[in-house]
Amino acid sequence: MFRYPNGKVYKPKEDIEKRRKKSITYSNRGMTLEDDLNETNLYYLENNIAVIHKKPTPVQIVNVHYPKRSAAVIKEAYFKQSSTTDYNGVYRGKYIDFEAKETKNKTSFPLQNFHEHQVSHMENVLAQDGICFVILSAFDEIYLLEAEALLKFWSRMKNGGRKSITMDEINVSAHKMTLGFQPRIDYIKIIDKLYFN
């Protein structure tokens, strides 16, 4: 028995044996798609492979409260404009622009996850001969879907067709990627096959 200097008995919060017997769970240990991509992009940058960054969301700050000189609290802010896609940069002299999207849907990828201005931006990138794509996390897999393929599904929806991309369509149209250690999501490997062979 241990006692504090004030005389109270020390009671451990949890017995060491109980802690050892607890089953180890790995659920929810994975990072989000965005975290995985940020880690991948940092790897690319540090190894002089590519320069790809997450685009900051443009925000207009309207009201700031200064409770003291060293601290400022933003009380009111607005998005300046609609954002385009999540990431952009350069690889082997080519402009790269892509969006990252996730779904928990088990049978299809809803096109409502995309916004009109994002699709329009992708069309503009392709018109300038840039490399544009979407990285999808769906059906417990990671895929690279080229913007050209997404535009076909988007056009189908706009013409009254299906409002999602089926799992089978993704498996045919997209490029499946496996998660790795470094880089975590090696999308440059797919880009090399598609554009630099």
Side-chain angles (χ1 to χ4, degrees):
M1 180 185 299
F2 293 101
R3 293 186 179 272
Y4 289 105
N6 66 2
K8 286 188 177 181
V9 176
Y10 167 74
K11 294 180 183 174
K13 291 186 177 177
E14 190 176 17
D15 190 341
I16 291 173
E17 286 303 311
K18 284 182 185 173
R19 236 184 300 155
R20 282 188 189 141
K21 289 178 183 175
K22 272 188 182 175
S23 63
I24 297 171
T25 177
Y26 293 106
S27 63
N28 297 324
R29 71 183 173 128
M31 294 184 285
T32 66
L33 178 61
E34 186 176 299
D35 290 336
D36 285 341
L37 287 169
N38 291 341
E39 188 178 300
T40 298
N41 291 336
L42 181 60
Y43 174 85
Y44 289 155
L45 183 64
E46 289 175 346
N47 290 279
N48 297 315
I49 296 168
V51 179
I52 312 285
H53 293 288
K54 177 142 178 52
K55 296 180 195 174
T57 305
V59 174
Q60 174 70 46
I61 298 171
V62 178
N63 185 3
V64 180
H65 176 63
Y66 297 94
K68 55 184 179 178
R69 285 181 67 113
S70 63
V73 178
I74 298 171
K75 293 289 189 178
E76 188 177 1
Y78 299 96
F79 294 113
K80 278 186 179 180
Q81 63 194 39
S82 301
S83 65
T84 52
T85 50
D86 291 331
Y87 296 89
N88 70 346
V90 65
Y91 173 64
R92 293 176 66 174
K94 290 285 275 183
Y95 177 75
I96 288 185
D97 196 292
F98 68 93
E99 179 69 13
K101 295 287 187 188
E102 297 180 84
T103 187
K104 297 209 184 293
N105 192 314
K106 298 293 182 194
T107 58
S108 64
F109 195 94
L111 286 166
Q112 70 183 14
N113 287 1
F114 295 95
H115 301 286
E116 189 80 46
H117 65 272
Q118 290 176 320
V119 174
S120 177
H121 174 75
M122 290 180 194
E123 289 173 327
N124 291 336
V125 169
L126 292 175
Q128 294 299 319
D129 204 26
I131 297 172
C132 192
F133 54 93
V134 180
I135 293 184
L136 302 174
S137 175
F139 327 123
D140 298 321
E141 300 286 351
I142 305 289
Y143 300 89
L144 184 147
L145 179 68
E146 294 170 80
E148 293 89 345
L150 174 67
L151 295 174
K152 289 176 186 170
F153 295 121
W154 186 264
S155 177
R156 176 180 73 185
M157 178 189 74
K158 286 299 195 180
N159 291 320
R162 188 179 177 91
K163 295 179 180 177
S164 64
I165 310 169
T166 67
M167 184 190 309
D168 289 339
E169 288 173 327
I170 287 177
N171 282 320
V172 169
S173 302
H175 307 272
K176 193 182 289 189
M177 295 184 283
T178 55
L179 290 177
F181 177 63
Q182 285 190 324
R184 186 85 173 120
I185 301 173
D186 194 5
Y187 61 87
I188 288 294
K189 186 189 293 184
I190 307 291
I191 296 303
D192 279 338
K193 287 179 188 172
L194 295 173
Y195 298 93
F196 296 102
N197 271 342

